[in-house]
Amino acid sequence: MPKTKEKKLEVVEVEKQELAGNPKWEIAATDIDIPRYNIRQKSSEYDAGEFGDLVIDKSRVVVKEGTMVDVIVVSAVKAWREKIDYQLGIRGRIARTEEESIALTADSEYEVHPFADITFLIPKPEGADDDAYQFPIGDETYAMGKLDVQNKSYRNTYMRLCTFAKFNPAVPLMKKTWTFKTEYDSRGKTEWYNATFTVAKGEAPDAVVEFVQNFTS
């Protein structure tokens, strides 16, 4: 009996020590809730913005159609997805690696196309909506969101980033600024806007480079 009591006391003491200690809190980039960017299309099911505007969280305009802004790329991740007509209400399956994309293509009755999620920062312009720009970095405040690009938008953004990186291996993408705008396109009676990146002359501020390095590490 005495031995049993001693064991119970030891267990209670260990539990008290664990509860009293400060837990280790490690934050990864995947733990951060990054808002979504969307380009307002005629088929968009939200009210914010006009046709061709870049909207964050489907609620606030951050880039008006026809406007060019310099942005800083935080990350760009390629994947593959089944191409299914949105009117069918079916979400296409996604492959995250080349091997998975080959298996998905072999298994799917639909075409499988590459797409990318590109996360980028937009510096707050004078007079802009504070609620859309919630990330203070250095002396500036930024909007940060993730844009899903496919088809022509994929070629005009992700593939341009890759091309630049291939021919400029000594220049980290995080140190470059890119000019973002939306471009009108049409086929028959269907109209839409694509996303485009072009290389800008400026460089990202040191505080932003440090932020991106810590964010992606």
Side-chain angles (χ1 to χ4, degrees), residues 198-212:
T198 53
V199 180
K201 292 182 179 180
E203 292 188 353
D206 291 341
V208 173
V209 174
E210 183 180 355
F211 167 82
V212 176

Side-chain angles (χ1 to χ4, degrees), residues 59-72:
S59 60
R60 295 176 176 87
V61 175
V62 287
V63 182
K64 292 290 295 180
E65 183 275 323
T67 301
M68 294 187 293
V69 297
D70 285 352
V71 305
I72 301 157

Side-chain angles (χ1 to χ4, degrees), residues 96-209:
R96 299 294 180 184
T97 66
E98 189 86 40
E99 291 76 15
E100 288 179 1
S101 73
I102 294 171
L104 179 59
T105 300
D107 179 67
S108 178
E109 61 182 288
Y110 304 101
E111 294 180 8
V112 176
H113 290 198
F115 75 99
D117 271 332
I118 303 178
T119 302
F120 56 95
L121 296 162
I122 303 174
K124 179 186 173 184
E126 187 175 350
D129 184 352
D130 289 340
D131 290 338
Y133 299 83
Q134 299 186 352
F135 293 87
I137 307 172
D139 298 328
E140 300 276 353
T141 304
Y142 296 82
M144 182 168 68
K146 186 182 295 184
L147 181 65
D148 181 316
V149 293
Q150 59 184 340
N151 303 327
K152 194 170 182 178
S153 288
Y154 173 85
R155 295 194 298 273
N156 289 346
T157 56
Y158 182 78
M159 292 184 70
R160 288 181 180 179
L161 294 173
C162 292
T163 302
F164 178 88
K166 184 68 174 179
F167 284 92
N168 300 275
V171 182
L173 284 177
M174 68 186 68
K175 291 189 176 182
K176 285 299 301 172
T177 56
W178 295 80
T179 300
F180 171 88
K181 67 175 181 177
T182 62
E183 288 186 345
Y184 174 82
D185 207 344
S186 66
R187 183 182 299 116
K189 293 183 179 181
T190 305
E191 301 175 293
W192 69 92
Y193 274 84
N194 297 304
T196 67
F197 280 161
T198 53
V199 180
K201 292 182 179 180
E203 292 188 353
D206 291 341
V208 173
V209 174

